[in-house]
Amino acid sequence: LQYVWDLETDPDESNDVVLAAIWGGVVRSADGGATWTTVLGRDLLNLPPNADLNEINSIFYTDIHRTSDNTFYASLSSVTNSNALAPEAGVYRSDDGINWVRIFPMSFTINRRTEITSSPSNPNLIYFFTDGQRGYGLRSYNRLTDEVRDLSENLPVSDGGLGGVDSQESYNMLIKVHPTNPDVVFLGGTNLFRSTDGFRSNDNTEWIGGYDPVEDD
């Protein structure tokens, strides 16, 4: 557990259940963190105590998210700490935090961090924000129809005076949805943007914070 990207709890369980997105995958504890098991990705929990994770080929970026109806979503990057891409890369769904189904793969191109979010008012609509070799990706997923929609072309780009999306190679990434309006989505890197149509177009997005949009002389 030297690298922990995110944490979630499971309020449906009577035990003290915690899930952690760590180096290699997602691990689960049913006793408040005293013991852990790997539920997704590569099992690195039983390495020797002196093992150096930097020298072990494994998935680098992971994320875990729980919706308001207690469905879990997780992402595994294709990027590893070697030149090999992870075949397990992609976005996954689980109803219990133990058994996982891959919604779509991401193992064929270089994808680093993928942040996941949903709105409490509509837990069936999920957003995924990805930093990849070919630029930034944004997808929505409708669990009721199992449809994955690519919204990447509607992400803000630099217009010379106003900076576009920039995560500094996954260092700073944020995506959140308004608690009562699933169409209002906030997305950030070095700048913060708000879309009022879930980035289904590029006509309803506004810069609301970050670097000064006025270039200095």
Side-chain angles (χ1 to χ4, degrees):
L1 300 182
Q2 295 180 23
Y3 298 85
V4 180
W5 301 113
D6 205 355
L7 292 168
E8 283 288 1
T9 58
D10 189 347
D12 279 352
E13 291 284 343
S14 58
N15 297 321
D16 192 2
V17 174
V18 182
L19 289 96
I22 67 170
W23 175 284
V26 176
V27 295
R28 180 180 183 271
S29 173
D31 51 18
T35 59
W36 298 86
T37 57
T38 301
V39 293
L40 181 65
R42 303 180 185 180
D43 187 2
L44 305 177
L45 296 177
N46 298 309
L47 297 173
N50 61 347
D52 186 348
L53 291 182
N54 294 302
E55 297 178 355
I56 297 170
N57 180 32
S58 192
I59 297 163
F60 195 90
Y61 297 99
T62 62
D63 191 40
I64 180 80
H65 173 76
R66 177 175 58 84
T67 65
S68 60
D69 67 351
N70 296 333
T71 302
F72 293 94
Y73 292 85
S75 63
L76 306 178
S77 70
S78 65
V79 166
T80 66
N81 56 325
S82 71
N83 292 325
L85 298 181
E88 312 97 318
V91 174
Y92 293 77
R93 185 187 73 233
S94 173
D95 293 327
D96 56 11
I98 301 173
N99 302 290
W100 296 83
V101 175
R102 184 157 61 172
I103 300 171
F104 57 87
M106 301 174 67
S107 54
F108 306 111
T109 58
I110 295 177
N111 290 290
R112 291 181 282 263
R113 183 175 165 191
T114 294
E115 283 290 291
I116 309 170
T117 193
S118 64
S119 171
S121 64
N122 185 2
N124 292 309
L125 180 60
I126 320 299
Y127 292 92
F128 309 100
F129 175 33
T130 301
D131 176 11
Q133 181 187 37
R134 298 179 179 176
Y136 299 104
L138 179 64
R139 298 176 178 89
S140 65
Y141 170 69
N142 187 323
R143 183 178 181 180
L144 297 179
T145 63
D146 211 35
E147 177 190 10
V148 177
R149 183 173 180 178
D150 191 346
L151 308 169
S152 306
E153 65 179 12
N154 300 322
L155 289 173
V157 296
S158 176
D159 63 2
L162 180 63
V165 175
D166 183 0
S167 74
Q168 296 180 319
E169 297 186 356
S170 297
Y171 178 73
N172 48 350
M173 294 177 67
L174 170 81
I175 183 166
K176 293 292 182 182
V177 187
H178 192 282
T180 62
N181 186 346
D183 285 333
V184 176
V185 180
F186 300 86
L187 185 144
T190 56
N191 288 287
L192 185 63
F193 301 90
R194 177 179 58 228
S195 169
T196 56
D197 64 2
F199 288 98
R200 291 187 295 273
S201 75
N202 54 18
D203 298 326
N204 298 295
T205 301
E206 181 182 4
W207 180 95
I208 60 173
Y211 286 173
D212 190 339
V214 179
E215 292 190 43
D216 296 329
D217 294 333

